[in-house]
Amino acid sequence: MSGALQRPAVVSRMSDLIGCTPLLALATTETGSRLLLKLEMFNPTGTAKIRMARAMIDAAESAGDLRAGGRIIESTSGNTGLGLSVIAAERGYTFTAVVDHHAAADKLRAMKALGAELVYVDAGGDGSELHTAAREELAEDMARDEDNTVFTEQHNNPANGVGYFPVAHELAEALDGRLDVLVGAVGTGGGLCGTSRELAKLITGFTTIGVEPKGSTAFGGPAHDYYQSGTGTPEGAELGALVDFALIDEGVKVGDVEAFATCRAVARTGLLIGGSAGGVVYEALTRLSSLPPGTTMVALINDGGEKYMDTVFNDDWMTQRDLLSAETEREVEEHLTKLRGNR
């Protein structure tokens, strides 16, 4: 990866390190098609979502809704909250994260370490259920009529998508304008749709594929619980305003078993990726060999796997939830090994 987009050598704030994340060639076919991973875990907090966290606070400040000493409130499964924790700490704001126990424990601990206040909607919960709708409702209630307080409302905040515009520029520059397929997770819609919207100004003729967990409802039902965190539209939650179907050429679903098996198989190449990223890579690997010769496919990897040691990479946790499949893991690993042999 080359080009003018580079991080500065010396910075004065953690947020100055946002962006300019690398591309990793994970797999290549015999016909020269390749799968590149946009490794967003190289952002501060190890996630893409700090990009939109900063953009949402910038927008609130510009609108005069957030001033010195103000308070930020957000419903979060972890990664958005981590980003907001950093920005709040840098700018002297109080941050309250409305959470549930479905979030990875390491994310919750990290937010607290960064100075965030955690408010649970499922006190004593075991993490088996998502409470997205309840979180959103409580966060909105907490911010209502409070002076110098903003509910950033990531699912419906236009600045969310704007925060990912730089990803498009990074991709266009690194690949000299050659990108054929963009694949990414669909949660709030900001990451994939924001990137795709801006990328269309820079590159023509690419296809955008959205991935959500089985059980999520953005691309239809049936709805049921799932364990991939920070992605999808759970039952009872409203589809985010940033999910723009005009920007998504195809929407697909990947189950937890396949997503997590892919995380574990990819780990044996030396790379740890998060649960929803496993779903994205599974879909990308499934398609790669059938693409036209010389295709460049980019998968957006929203976070790393270090936050999932207690879940995706914990055999006991996986077994208790009937998610551990040695057969699926082996199939993904064999497929990946074959494709990596072509590099």
Side-chain angles (χ1 to χ4, degrees):
M1 176 176 171
S2 61
L5 294 176
Q6 296 181 357
R7 287 176 171 173
V10 179
V11 300
S12 57
R13 302 176 302 179
M14 283 299 295
S15 61
D16 293 332
L17 294 171
I18 296 171
C20 297
T21 55
L23 284 164
L24 174 70
L26 181 69
T28 304
T29 69
E30 293 179 350
T31 61
S33 293
R34 56 181 181 162
L35 171 59
L36 308 180
L37 307 185
K38 181 66 166 164
L39 299 180
E40 287 291 280
M41 72 277 281
F42 282 86
N43 284 302
T45 69
T47 170
K49 291 192 174 182
I50 195 170
R51 293 182 185 262
M52 62 92 147
R54 179 174 63 180
M56 291 193 299
I57 299 309
D58 287 345
E61 291 174 341
S62 296
D65 296 329
L66 190 61
R67 305 176 301 281
R71 185 186 188 192
I72 303 162
I73 301 176
E74 181 56 271
S75 160
T76 176
S77 61
N79 280 335
T80 299
L82 286 169
L84 288 170
S85 296
V86 170
I87 305 302
E90 287 185 346
R91 303 187 188 184
Y93 299 125
T94 299
F95 172 50
T96 299
V98 181
V99 300
D100 59 38
H101 286 86
H102 190 272
D106 279 350
K107 296 179 185 178
L108 299 173
R109 288 191 286 261
M111 280 191 281
K112 190 172 181 180
L114 288 165
E117 172 194 22
L118 304 186
V119 176
Y120 288 85
V121 296
D122 63 338
D126 62 2
S128 61
E129 295 183 23
L130 276 165
H131 295 272
T132 304
R135 292 199 324 251
E136 295 283 325
E137 183 178 352
L138 179 57
E140 185 175 12
D141 287 345
M142 291 176 68
R144 186 178 293 114
D145 300 325
E146 294 292 328
D147 181 54
N148 199 16
T149 299
V150 295
F151 169 33
T152 43
E153 199 177 1
Q154 58 175 313
H155 285 84
N156 296 300
N157 191 327
N160 177 343
V162 173
Y164 293 101
F165 285 2
V167 178
H169 290 268
E170 292 169 27
L171 291 173
E173 172 127 3
L175 299 173
D176 294 324
R178 176 64 194 276
L179 192 159
D180 302 296
V181 182
L182 178 69
V183 55
V186 176
T188 67
L192 183 62
C193 294
T195 301
S196 185
R197 182 182 301 280
E198 187 69 5
L199 194 60
K201 301 175 184 177
L202 308 170
I203 297 175
T204 59
F206 67 92
T207 298
T208 298
I209 300 170
V211 180
E212 69 173 347
K214 289 182 179 178
S216 176
T217 61
F219 303 130
H224 57 75
D225 291 341
Y226 55 85
Y227 287 98
Q228 294 171 64
S229 65
T231 187
T233 305
E235 186 173 13
E238 292 186 8
L239 183 68
L242 301 170
V243 179
D244 188 342
F245 293 108
L247 296 170
I248 302 173
D249 297 293
E250 185 179 354
V252 299
K253 297 175 181 287
V254 175
D256 290 334
V257 170
E258 291 77 13
F260 296 165
T262 302
C263 292
R264 294 162 69 97
V266 169
R268 288 188 282 275
T269 72
L271 175 67
L272 291 171
I273 62 175
S276 66
V280 171
V281 174
Y282 179 84
E283 183 63 29
L285 288 172
T286 299
R287 293 170 176 260
L288 188 62
S289 295
S290 64
L291 294 174
T295 294
T296 295
M297 173 188 279
V298 171
L300 301 176
I301 305 302
N302 285 339
D303 69 350
E306 292 83 357
K307 301 165 188 168
Y308 304 91
M309 292 296 112
D310 293 334
T311 54
V312 175
F313 297 102
N314 182 320
D315 287 359
D316 292 339
W317 185 92
M318 292 277 288
T319 300
Q320 290 166 9
R321 290 157 181 80
D322 200 26
L323 297 172
L324 191 62
S325 171
E327 181 180 359
T328 305
E329 205 169 313
R330 183 172 58 253
E331 289 174 355
V332 174
E333 186 170 10
E334 290 174 353
H335 185 50
L336 184 54
T337 298
K338 178 181 178 181
L339 290 170
R340 287 176 65 79
N342 296 318
R343 294 186 305 165

